[in-house]
Amino acid sequence: MSETAKTRSQKLKTGVVMDPIGEIKAYKDSSFAMLLEAQRRGHELYYTEPANLFVQDGRVFARMQQLEVRDNTTDWFSLGSAGNQPLDGLDMVLMRRDPPFDMNYIYATYMLELAEKTGTLVINRPQSLRDANEKFFINNFPQCCVPMLISSQSDMLREFVSKHGHCVVKPLDGMGGESVFQVIDTDTNLNVILETITRHDSRPVMAQKYIDEISQGDKRILVVNGEPVPYALARFAGKGDFRGNLAKGGSSKGVPLSERDRWICSQVAPELKKRGILFAGLDVIGDWLSEVNVTSPTCIRELDGEFGLNIAGLLFDAAEAMLKR
């Protein structure tokens, strides 16, 4: 049976590789929104965690369980019995493990790439998950960004901060605002901050000129198959913090995309699509791109709830069309 005939005559089988499903906040989890939409479309769902992936004789397997999901904040999933299954038996796999982006994450992408070579659609493409580091990737679009520097050398970082006066310094492999520092050139703690974050000049980090418009929110713009969702989620820092990350107690509200937002998307989206990144989250502060999130972007449920959208539906429309082709 051809692949096209298969997708028309039987249920699609969709797997998800994610962190423990019992520990998510179902009311706001974007992976969960994807699973709800896949189930609504009649997909058979299979669940596994990254540690359960393995390769035997060149073929990738996972210890998987069939999954059923419910839009409920106290009882949101049921799992079947666990068993080892080949990933090439699935039509698509959602790779939704959160950072840190460490060697275990890279090994998981190697395994998923083997499944991809046999015809399984992996979202997002494993090679692109490795190549498009969420901090570093914005260097492909300098026209969209404030001045920035990536270096492991404290003296270079100190000179950058001295030049721009007010900066943000952050690691290249974090998420959710972890270890992000706001620094000024007169800060007596600047040396120790740079020593700590670079691990005494042994680890590259990113420094960016501080964007004053952060007071107007750190916007998350979701891009699905190269097209931006028309609304962004503006995230605001909680009391006593400067980071707008919801994981750090921030608040949020939806806003329509501005002309500048759409221009930034027009610069970034073609490269995302070329690299097989079907689902990405662009972080925009004021007029400037600050990050491109490709590993496990969030904010689906907030935008869906505020504007009556179905963002996961857009994602599966694109994925199902790719399978048919």
Side-chain angles (χ1 to χ4, degrees), residues 44-280:
E44 286 184 10
L45 299 181
Y46 293 87
Y47 164 84
T48 191
E49 295 174 23
N52 293 329
L53 295 170
F54 65 97
V55 177
Q56 187 169 356
D57 299 326
R59 193 179 186 195
V60 62
F61 296 79
R63 188 164 179 80
M64 290 188 282
Q65 295 168 271
Q66 196 156 356
L67 171 67
E68 179 185 327
V69 289
R70 296 174 289 278
D71 198 359
N72 186 309
T73 57
T74 58
D75 177 30
W76 59 87
F77 71 101
S78 299
L79 291 171
S81 57
N84 295 335
Q85 298 185 50
L87 261 63
D88 57 31
L90 301 176
D91 296 287
M92 71 177 84
V93 174
L94 306 172
M95 175 48 163
R96 293 288 301 175
R97 203 208 91 172
D98 287 340
F101 191 88
D102 53 16
M103 285 307 301
N104 286 333
Y105 195 104
I106 290 174
Y107 296 145
T109 66
Y110 291 156
M111 297 185 206
L112 292 172
E113 198 165 25
L114 287 177
E116 183 182 55
K117 289 177 179 177
T118 64
T120 300
L121 175 64
V122 182
I123 305 171
N124 286 312
R125 182 178 292 163
Q127 180 181 344
S128 296
L129 291 175
R130 294 194 299 272
D131 292 348
N133 175 275
E134 301 187 328
K135 311 296 190 297
F136 196 97
F137 191 58
I138 64 172
N139 284 278
N140 291 285
F141 316 101
Q143 70 276 21
C144 302
C145 304
V146 294
M148 58 186 163
L149 169 70
I150 294 176
S151 175
S152 60
Q153 301 304 305
S154 295
D155 58 346
M156 292 185 67
L157 293 161
R158 194 179 305 110
E159 183 179 345
F160 181 88
V161 174
S162 178
K163 178 179 179 180
H164 296 287
H166 193 181
C167 297
V168 168
V169 182
K170 53 190 174 183
L172 297 176
D173 60 353
M175 68 164 288
E178 288 292 333
S179 300
V180 177
F181 292 90
Q182 181 183 170
V183 297
I184 56 176
D185 57 341
T186 57
D187 190 343
T188 56
N189 287 313
L190 179 58
N191 285 343
V192 72
I193 288 171
L194 296 179
E195 288 171 5
T196 301
I197 197 169
T198 65
R199 297 176 184 166
H200 294 277
D201 293 6
S202 67
R203 179 177 73 160
V205 300
M206 171 177 276
Q208 293 169 296
K209 181 180 177 182
Y210 185 80
I211 305 171
D212 291 325
E213 290 83 358
I214 188 66
S215 61
Q216 301 166 23
D218 180 353
K219 289 179 286 189
R220 166 62 56 84
I221 302 172
L222 297 178
V223 179
V224 182
N225 195 31
E227 295 293 329
V229 173
Y231 300 94
L233 193 72
R235 300 160 296 172
F236 301 89
K239 186 176 180 181
D241 207 332
F242 75 96
R243 298 166 297 179
N245 305 83
L246 301 182
K248 300 302 178 187
S251 59
S252 66
K253 72 173 182 179
V255 295
L257 298 190
S258 68
E259 292 269 331
R260 175 71 177 185
D261 294 336
R262 292 183 181 277
W263 178 80
I264 290 172
C265 291
S266 75
Q267 302 298 297
V268 179
E271 186 67 20
L272 295 174
K273 193 165 183 178
K274 183 176 81 173
R275 292 173 180 253
I277 300 172
L278 265 67
F279 186 66

